Amino acid sequence: MRRRLDRVGDEFELRFGGKPEVWMRAPGRVDLMGSHTDYNMGHVLTLAIEQDTWIAARPRRDRTVAVYSLNAEGGGPFDLDAIAHDWTAPWTNYVRGVADTLQRAGYRLCGFDGLVHSTVPIGSGLSSSAALEVACALIFVELGGWSIDPVRLAQLCQRAENEFVGMNCGILDQYSSTMGQKGCALLLDCRDLRSEPVPLGEDTRVVICDTRSRRELTGSEYPERRAQCEQGASLLAQFYPGVTALRDVTIDEYLAHEADLPLAVARRCRFIIEENERVLGLAEALSTADRGAICDLTAESYVGARDLFEIGSSEMAAMMDAMRSAPGVIGARQAGAGFGGCMVALVDAPQVSGFARHVEKTYARVTGIKPKVYAMHAAAGAGPLPTVPANRAS
Ligand code: GLA
């Protein structure tokens, strides 16, 4: 922590010739259950992770935001009165998008010099983009001298990603980043945007297993899945008028009309309806420490994601085998959007090192890829950095 503070502070001084005055952090997230249920208005069991994005900043008198990153090339100044995309440094579009969205929503923004540093691995399904959006939004809040409800902030960051960046994600990533609770998973209801904490017992650790592979995607897979779910909901609404999203459909209602749906749409619907139920099941299983149920629910989630939602990959299959055969495993499944990236396991705390060693060895032997395996505690949601030393803060 201290080293990271010094490094970012020193780099800030080198670049901008003065000290940062404001520091914000926003975490990434990992979902324990609920793949693609968020935009179907369903439930997700999610947690904020210890990996996070920091922005050190200093206000400017003009309407310019000059932002650079220690993790990515490019960056530079842009004008708050003429916000355009920068496709030469795509990561800056998250910052630009947040600025644009906050202004359109009526918030007064102040220009700043900012330096980003992130420990959330980029593009591995742990929401590095949401962490950047939220950290950036908090800088604007602080420098603008106003306050905002964290759920509203998450919604605005989601809007920035939907409308400015052009990725039609749900609310999961931004909500987890603003609302995370230390030591707890959140059982999130994506319809009313309320969540309740689900404590993760002392004897259970969350272990992220990064396949370090990303299937070649055209970018159309996520919107295509979303469109199929929405098509399924509107077809089922013809039989059940109260239905506005797949969250409203029970498995029996679905089964009664499975044959009325195109095949691929039917598979997507079945997965979402069952996955949504599994979220509630896992929350219950965690609170009663029912390890058998945790094992079964996570295994079913993976099989559904692979066969019905079709977001698997050969590396994910190899990782699943490695996790499931490791000592101390309680349950294991995919995480994030799928198509490679990170997966997640719940592991008996005393056995975490043996678990990690086994997964690293087994996965590397099968795929030739060295994975990243890290155990973590659930972290608090985004906010000011707690221990900024006085010489950095002023
Ligand atoms: C991505 C999206 C989220 C969510 C997950 C899948 O992370 O950004 O909104 O849909 O995929 O659960």
Side-chain angles (χ1 to χ4, degrees), residues 326-349:
V329 66
I330 304 169
R333 66 183 282 281
Q334 73 285 357
F339 303 110
C342 286
M343 300 182 75
V344 64
L346 290 162
V347 179
D348 194 26

Side-chain angles (χ1 to χ4, degrees), residues 23-146:
W23 296 70
M24 290 290 166
R25 62 164 279 280
R29 65 96 189 89
V30 69
D31 50 300
L32 296 181
M33 188 64 81
S35 291
H36 295 256
T37 47
D38 64 344
Y39 55 79
N40 289 294
M41 297 298 123
H43 299 95
V44 194
L45 196 61
T46 178
L47 52 99
I49 59 176
E50 287 160 300
Q51 281 73 13
D52 57 11
T53 295
W54 290 5
I55 303 185
R58 183 184 61 185
R60 292 174 60 119
R61 287 180 198 281
D62 60 13
R63 300 269 300 149
T64 298
V65 171
V67 68
Y68 297 88
S69 167
L70 293 174
N71 304 89
E73 295 293 312
F78 70 90
D79 181 352
L80 282 171
D81 295 318
I83 302 177
H85 290 84
D86 178 0
W87 298 114
T88 63
W91 68 269
T92 67
N93 289 330
Y94 296 104
V95 177
R96 291 159 187 261
V98 165
D100 188 56
T101 306
L102 291 174
Q103 290 194 134
R104 282 175 197 276
Y107 294 97
R108 192 171 38 82
L109 303 192
C110 162
F112 69 84
D113 292 328
L115 187 62
V116 176
H117 180 251
S118 186
T119 55
V120 186
I122 292 164
S124 64
L126 298 176
S127 296
S128 54
S129 38
L132 176 57
E133 289 155 10
V134 170
C136 170
L138 287 175
I139 294 283
F140 282 123
V141 173
E142 181 68 19
L143 297 181
W146 36 277

